[in-house]
Amino acid sequence: MSDQFADPSSVTDTFAFIIHPINPKRDVSRKFPLLGKVLTEGQVNFFSAYFPPVYISEINGVRSQATGREVKGWFIACPFTPQRMLQLPVNMVYDKIVACGHKAEKLGARIMGLGAYTSVVGDAGQTIADRLDLPVTTGDSYTIMIAVEAVRKAAEVMGIPLHEATAAVVGATGSIGNVCAQMLANDVAELILVGRRADAVEEVREKCEGRRATVRTGTDMNLIYDVDLVLTVTSAINSVIEPQHLKPGAVVCDVARPRDVSKLVADQRDDVLVIEGGMVEVPGPVDFHFDFGFPPKKAFACMAETMALALEGRYENFSIGKALTVEHATEIGAICAKHGFKLSGFRSFERAVTDEQIAQVREQAQANRKHWQPMHI
Ligand SMILES: NC(=O)c1ccc[n+]([C@@H]2O[C@H](COP(=O)([O-])OP(=O)(O)OC[C@H]3O[C@@H](n4cnc5c(N)ncnc54)[C@H](OP(=O)(O)O)[C@@H]3O)[C@@H](O)[C@H]2O)c1
């Protein structure tokens, strides 16, 4: 097959994907270097309420390995940071995302994906979908599949036998967290569900019972101190996992954007493996025409879900609302696999993780385990 993408004017299957700044100065600089330089973080945040949706780039060359069909798409930026989305009245945020949807429709998109916090805000895409003629997905179902697959793969490379492992899901009451928990309950010996509200975590425990894992729940982050595998997916604005929370040799898959794992973990703990959940290889000679911080031809799982639905011709609302299911995740997992999307290599704090680094983490963990004591809680 050609390594050139098709003439964009001949491509009729289309999508749009909404992104937003996380780090205001850095992310604004990616599109507008001068503004990123002269405005302070506070000014970017303040003025963002008045910015219209921003056209970022055209995406070409996403091509199905199964059918050879190609789709094109567009990145559109919602100018709000997560912090701003939480501060502003939710209807104002909806209005801005709906305006992004109208821009997507004008460009010719036939489905729209809601990236990162635009999928978290309010009722997770339901109001947005109701207000637009354009079908919408949050991309969360494939995010779930890829996060769980990343945990399984990371356990393998770290030499942690999955069926004997203790795993934890932090943010277990969330739309992504609770389905990840149900899936991991089939894999591991013990599963710890951590959330902020005891009653809500108990409800998730009920969904996880009757599978392989013994399930425990709690609201204290210290519960993860002797856990082998952590999948963390809260919508907290600031980090929730600090260096003291992790045992030597632990694997942490951080799906959250902004991330849940403190940068201090990267600085202070060379005996744990932190990976970003959600990086996917995209089939075809894809060119995003925009650097969103990933290596070429790699995308977030939520972007991949939107592309795969367009490749499949499934122009319908897909992962919408807070009540996602294992069935939905499995279905999109099969669609994505068919078209050639797959889990890509690991990244940690925006850098690729090499086999040498994994070997070093294993070695350091082995040495540090001699002095490590389980915390009394
Ligand atoms: N990597 C990717 O491709 C990708 C794709 C989509 C989404 N995401 C990210 O995934 C994360 C979760 O998304 P979601 O749709 O599952 O969100 P959600 O349904 O709103 O769930 C958020 C979870 O985080 C918990 N939480 C919120 N604030 C917290 C805090 N300050 N401390 C501890 N826990 C807190 C919530 O607890 P309560 O239930 O008590 O409120 C809930 O369990 C977000 O960061 C989002 O940006 C990543």
Side-chain angles (χ1 to χ4, degrees):
M1 257 187 234
S2 164
D3 58 0
Q4 294 291 309
F5 53 77
D7 172 6
S9 65
S10 69
V11 177
T12 54
D13 285 301
T14 54
F15 67 94
F17 194 81
I18 310 305
I19 55 177
H20 63 76
I22 287 186
N23 173 330
K25 274 183 80 68
R26 183 201 63 192
D27 295 339
V28 166
S29 300
R30 289 184 199 275
K31 179 73 181 171
F32 304 110
L34 188 63
L35 280 185
K37 209 168 162 185
V38 297
L39 296 181
T40 65
E41 189 164 323
Q43 286 167 330
V44 173
N45 266 327
F46 176 79
F47 288 124
S48 69
Y50 306 99
F51 287 170
V54 182
Y55 173 90
I56 299 289
S57 69
E58 183 169 305
I59 303 160
N60 303 110
V62 180
R63 184 185 297 153
S64 167
Q65 281 175 5
T67 63
R69 187 168 166 172
E70 207 166 295
V71 296
K72 74 176 171 194
W74 298 272
F75 279 134
I76 297 168
C78 168
F80 297 149
T81 58
Q83 208 162 15
R84 211 70 185 112
M85 287 190 228
L86 286 181
Q87 285 164 347
L88 291 168
V90 72
N91 282 328
M92 201 167 157
V93 183
Y94 287 153
D95 287 348
K96 193 72 86 179
I97 301 173
V98 168
C100 293
H102 289 144
K103 193 167 188 76
E105 281 169 336
K106 276 198 192 124
L107 287 164
R110 298 174 66 189
I111 188 165
M112 179 172 91
L114 299 176
Y117 235 78
T118 61
S119 71
V120 175
V121 80
D123 55 14
Q126 190 62 63
T127 301
I128 308 293
D130 292 345
R131 286 179 57 185
L132 287 170
D133 293 331
L134 190 65
V136 174
T137 187
T138 58
D140 284 355
S141 297
Y142 194 49
T143 298
I144 291 163
M145 285 304 282
I146 286 293
V148 171
E149 205 181 321
V151 169
R152 292 178 184 141
K153 183 76 190 156
E156 187 187 320
V157 300
M158 286 290 284
I160 300 169
L162 199 57
H163 287 354
E164 295 165 24
T166 300
V169 177
V170 178
T173 54
S175 4
I176 298 176
N178 94 85
V179 183
C180 288
Q182 293 174 62
M183 295 178 86
L184 284 174
N186 291 322
D187 287 347
V188 298
E190 192 175 3
L191 182 64
I192 300 175
L193 307 176
V194 185
R196 295 189 295 185
R197 295 168 296 126
D199 52 341
V201 194
E202 277 310 307
E203 281 174 29
V204 182
R205 179 223 282 268
E206 281 168 26
K207 293 190 197 167
C208 296
E209 295 288 11
R211 303 168 196 236
R212 164 182 278 273
T214 312
V215 187
R216 282 197 284 144
T217 61
T219 54
D220 186 342
M221 194 60 76
N222 289 328
L223 280 170
I224 70 170
Y225 185 63
D226 58 359
V227 165
D228 305 300
L229 307 167
V230 182
L231 192 159
T232 184
V233 63
T234 81
S235 54
I237 294 291
N238 299 311
S239 53
V240 295
I241 298 185
E242 302 297 333
Q244 71 274 13
H245 291 130
L246 301 166
K247 78 170 184 182
V251 166
V252 188
C253 176
D254 189 352
V255 185
R257 285 292 167 275
R259 62 179 100 251
D260 279 347
V261 179
S262 160
K263 183 80 174 57
L264 291 177
V265 174
D267 298 341
Q268 296 175 12
R269 295 295 303 267
D270 54 3
D271 59 351
V272 301
L273 177 66
V274 180
I275 55 168
E276 289 167 9
M279 193 166 75
V280 169
E281 195 175 307
V282 178
V286 59
D287 192 339
F288 295 106
H289 296 112
F290 177 65
D291 173 11
F292 52 92
F294 271 13
K297 297 180 195 249
K298 314 268 171 149
F300 282 103
C302 47
M303 293 174 183
E305 175 170 319
T306 314
M307 295 170 197
L309 289 169
L311 282 173
E312 189 71 3
R314 291 275 296 265
Y315 295 114
E316 60 194 67
N317 292 334
F318 196 81
S319 309
I320 287 295
K322 296 274 177 194
L324 302 176
T325 62
V326 173
E327 290 70 29
H328 245 72
T330 311
E331 184 186 2
I332 194 68
I335 292 171
C336 287
K338 169 182 144 187
H339 292 295
F341 294 90
K342 55 180 178 232
L343 175 68
S344 187
F346 297 136
R347 277 168 79 77
S348 186
F349 296 95
E350 294 177 17
R351 295 221 171 117
V353 179
T354 62
D355 292 347
E356 290 72 33
Q357 281 168 320
I358 291 171
Q360 278 167 11
V361 170
R362 287 182 70 166
E363 204 176 300
Q364 203 55 51
Q366 208 168 11
N368 293 357
R369 250 178 230 129
K370 292 178 193 138
H371 318 288
W372 176 80
Q373 290 288 318
M375 197 182 271
H376 294 291
I377 43 180

